[in-house]
C-alpha cells in the first residue's frame, strides 16, 4: 500500500537493520523504565495521593488556629491600658534611634540581592538591585515570603527585563544569605546564654546549646563547601546552583549576622537599654523562627509573646510589650507603608513608559505606511 511505513522485518533500501537486543538486556531496560516511571520514594508516593493537598491544608489550618487560640488567651491577660501608656511614654530620641537602626537593618538586607546579581550577571546596576530589595523586603516581613520574596520581586525584576531563571537564583541566594547569618549568630547566642522561653516551650538550656551548635555548624559547613568547590556550581536535578568562593561565603555570613545584630540593637534601644542586649537579640531570633513555624503573616502576636516572655524578666511586662510593639511599628509597619508607596510609584511610571513606547511605535508604523508626497 502506498504511503505505508516499512515493517521492522523489511528495511527500506539503503538502510541497515539493527540487530535485535538480547532478551535479558531488553528485560533489564524495561525494568529500569518501570522503576523510573513509578515514584522512587515513599514520600513521593504519599504526596501523589489526591487527599495530600487537603491534608496539608487542614493540618496547617489546625496549627494556625492552635497558635491563634494561645495568643488570644494570652492577650486576655495583658493590661492593655498600661501597655498603651508605656508605649506613649517612650521618649522621642529613643524612637528616633530605634527607627535609625531599623533603617540600617533594611539597608543591610538590601545588599543580599547583590550576591545573586554577581553570579547571575543579570545586567541591572547595583543601585537598582538594592532599590528593588528595599521595596520587596517590607512586603516579605509583613505578608510572607510568597508575596514579598517572590511576587513583588518577580514583578519588579521582570519589568527590568530580568529572566525568570535569574530572578529565582537571586531570590534563592538572598534567602540563603539571610539564614546563614541567623544560624551562625543564633548558635553562638544559644550556646552562651539561655533566654527565658514562653510558657509551653519545653526546651531546656542544654537543648538550646545543642540546637545552637547544630545551627552554627550549618553555616560553617556552607563556608567549607564553598572552599571545596572553588566557585564551581552544583548541579542538582537539572538545576545549576551557584556556589561562591569561600571569601564570598564568609561575607554572606558576616553581612547577615550584622543585620540580625542591628535588628536586636533596635529592640534593645526601645527597651531603654534596661534589658541586656542578649535578651533583645534572643527575642528577635526566637520571634523570627517562631513566626516562620506558625505561618502567621509577620508573626503577628508571636513576636510579642516571645518578647514578653524574654524581656519581662528585666522590666515590667507592659513596658516589655510596649517596646516590642514600638519595634514592630518601626521595623514592620512603617517600612511597609513606604514600600507600598514606592511600589505604586514604580508601577505608575512603568505604565506611563509602556504607553509612550506604544504610542511611539504606532507613530513609527504610521509614518512608514503614509504615501510619499
Amino acid at each position: 500500500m502506498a504511503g505505508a511505513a516499512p515493517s521492522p522485518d523489511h528495511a527500506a533500501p539503503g538502510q541497515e537493520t539493527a540487530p535485535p537486543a538480547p532478551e535479558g538486556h531488553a528485560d533489564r531496560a524495561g525494568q529500569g523504565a518501570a522503576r523510573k516511571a513509578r515514584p522512587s520514594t515513599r514520600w513521593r508516593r504519599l504526596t501523589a495521593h489526591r487527599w495530600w493537598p487537603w491534608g496539608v491544608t487542614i493540618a496547617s489550618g489546625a496549627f494556625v488556629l492552635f497558635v491563634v487560640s494561645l495568643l488570644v488567651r494570652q492577650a486576655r491577660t495583658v493590661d492593655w491600658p498600661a501597655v498603651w501608656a508605656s508605649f506613649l511614654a517612650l521618649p522621642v530620641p529613643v524612637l528616633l534611634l530605634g527607627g535609625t537602626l531599623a533603617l540600617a537593618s533594611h539597608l543591610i538586607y538590601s545588599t543580599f540581592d547583590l550576591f545573586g546579581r554577581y553570579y547571575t550577571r543579570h545586567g541591572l546596576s547595583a543601585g537598582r538591585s538594592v532599590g528593588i530589595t528595599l521595596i520587596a523586603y517590607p512586603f516579605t516581613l509583613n505578608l510572607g515570603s510568597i508575596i514579598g520574596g517572590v511576587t513583588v520581586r518577580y514583578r519588579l525584576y521582570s519589568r527590568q527585563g530580568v529572566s525568570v531563571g535569574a530572578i529565582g537564583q537571586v531570590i534563592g541566594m538572598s534567602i540563603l544569605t539571610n539564614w546563614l547569618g541567623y544560624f551562625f549568630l543564633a548558635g553562638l547566642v544559644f550556646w552562651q546564654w539561655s533566654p527565658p522561653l514562653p510558657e509551653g516551650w519545653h526546651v531546656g538550656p542544654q537543648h538550646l546549646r545543642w540546637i545552637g551548635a547544630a545551627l552554627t555548624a550549618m553555616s560553617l559547613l556552607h563556608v567549607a563547601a564553598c572552599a571545596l568547590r572553588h566557585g564551581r556550581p552544583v548541579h542538582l536535578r537539572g538545576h545549576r546552583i551557584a556556589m561562591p568562593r569561600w571569601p564570598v561565603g564568609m561575607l554572606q555570613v558576616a553581612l547577615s549576622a550584622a543585620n540580625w545584630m542591628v535588628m536586636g540593637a533596635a529592640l534593645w534601644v526601645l527597651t531603654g537599654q534596661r534589658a541586656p542586649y542578649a535578651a533583645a537579640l534572643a527575642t528577635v531570633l526566637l520571634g523570627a523562627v517562631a513566626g516562620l513555624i506558625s505561618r502567621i503573616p509577620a508573626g503577628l502576636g508571636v513576636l510579642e509573646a516571645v518578647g514578653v516572655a524574654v524581656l519581662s524578666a528585666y522590666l515590667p511586662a507592659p513596658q516589655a510589650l510596649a517596646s516590642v510593639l514600638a519595634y514592630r511599628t518601626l521595623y514592620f509597619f512603617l517600612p511597609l507603608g513606604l514600600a507600598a508607596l514606592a511600589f505604586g510609584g514604580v508601577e505608575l511610571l512603568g505604565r506611563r513608559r509602556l504607553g509612550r513606547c506604544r504610542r511611539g511605535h504606532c507613530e513609527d508604523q504610521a509614518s512608514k505606511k503614509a504615501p510619499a508626497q
Side-chain angles (χ1 to χ4, degrees):
M1 182 180 295
S7 67
D9 297 331
H10 297 83
Q15 294 181 346
E16 297 180 358
T17 58
E23 184 177 353
H25 178 76
D27 292 342
R28 287 193 297 270
Q31 292 173 2
R35 282 196 298 268
K36 292 181 179 179
R38 60 178 183 261
S40 59
T41 63
R42 293 182 179 179
W43 175 256
R44 290 183 179 179
R45 288 196 294 269
L46 180 64
T47 57
H49 288 288
R50 293 182 179 180
W51 52 263
W52 175 257
W54 292 98
V56 172
T57 302
I58 293 173
S60 301
F63 182 75
V64 171
L65 289 176
F66 172 72
V67 174
V68 170
S69 65
L70 291 179
L71 295 176
V72 170
R73 187 173 62 183
Q74 185 176 14
R76 291 177 178 175
T77 64
V78 175
D79 186 359
W80 289 107
V83 172
W84 182 244
S86 300
F87 183 84
L88 295 178
L90 288 171
V92 174
V94 169
L95 293 174
L96 290 176
L97 182 55
T100 302
L101 290 170
L103 174 61
S105 172
H106 280 258
L107 290 173
I108 295 173
Y109 186 92
S110 68
T111 63
F112 293 176
D113 275 23
L114 297 181
F115 292 106
R117 172 182 176 269
Y118 177 78
Y119 284 100
T120 60
R121 310 287 185 183
H122 55 57
L124 294 187
S125 64
R128 188 158 295 186
S129 299
V130 168
I132 288 175
T133 315
L134 283 173
I135 295 175
Y137 182 46
F139 286 96
T140 304
L141 286 172
N142 290 273
L143 303 177
S145 58
I146 298 300
I147 294 179
V150 178
T151 307
V152 175
R153 264 196 181 103
Y154 172 78
R155 178 68 175 177
L156 295 173
Y157 273 116
S158 60
R159 274 193 173 275
Q160 304 297 322
V162 181
S163 66
V164 175
I167 297 172
Q169 291 189 53
V170 169
I171 294 173
M173 187 68 74
S174 179
I175 294 174
L176 175 64
T177 302
N178 180 58
W179 288 107
L180 282 173
Y182 179 96
F183 291 157
F184 182 77
L185 191 61
L188 295 181
V189 171
F190 297 154
W191 184 264
Q192 296 291 333
W193 182 71
S194 298
L197 298 177
E199 184 179 356
W201 287 32
H202 303 292
V203 180
Q206 191 63 29
H207 295 96
L208 278 180
R209 290 191 184 95
W210 286 114
I211 292 172
L215 292 176
T216 302
M218 293 175 66
S219 295
L220 296 179
L221 285 174
H222 170 76
V223 177
C226 293
L228 292 174
R229 295 295 300 177
H230 298 289
R232 297 190 303 272
V234 175
H235 296 274
L236 182 63
R237 295 188 176 182
H239 298 282
R240 182 178 179 273
I241 303 175
M243 285 294 293
R245 296 183 179 274
W246 70 266
V248 180
M250 291 187 64
L251 181 60
Q252 287 179 286
V253 176
L255 269 178
S256 178
N259 178 48
W260 288 100
M261 292 176 68
V262 172
M263 293 167 65
L267 179 58
W268 179 58
V269 166
L270 293 171
T271 64
Q273 304 178 22
R274 288 174 291 174
Y277 170 72
L281 180 59
T283 298
V284 172
L285 296 175
L286 291 171
V289 71
L292 182 67
I293 294 173
S294 67
R295 302 184 65 180
I296 296 177
L300 196 61
V302 179
L303 175 63
E304 287 75 8
V306 173
V308 171
V310 176
L311 299 176
S312 60
Y314 309 98
L315 62 160
Q319 296 179 16
L321 183 54
S323 301
V324 178
L325 291 176
Y327 172 77
R328 181 177 289 282
T329 301
L330 294 173
Y331 197 85
F332 288 74
F333 295 154
L334 184 58
L336 178 62
L338 297 175
L341 292 175
F343 183 76
V346 170
E347 285 290 301
L348 182 60
L349 290 175
R351 292 183 180 182
R352 288 182 176 178
R353 189 180 297 111
L354 181 61
R356 287 197 299 268
C357 291
R358 288 177 176 174
R359 287 194 298 270
H361 178 72
C362 294
E363 291 174 0
D364 292 341
Q365 293 295 328
S367 63
K368 289 180 181 179
K369 294 181 179 179
Q373 299 294 331

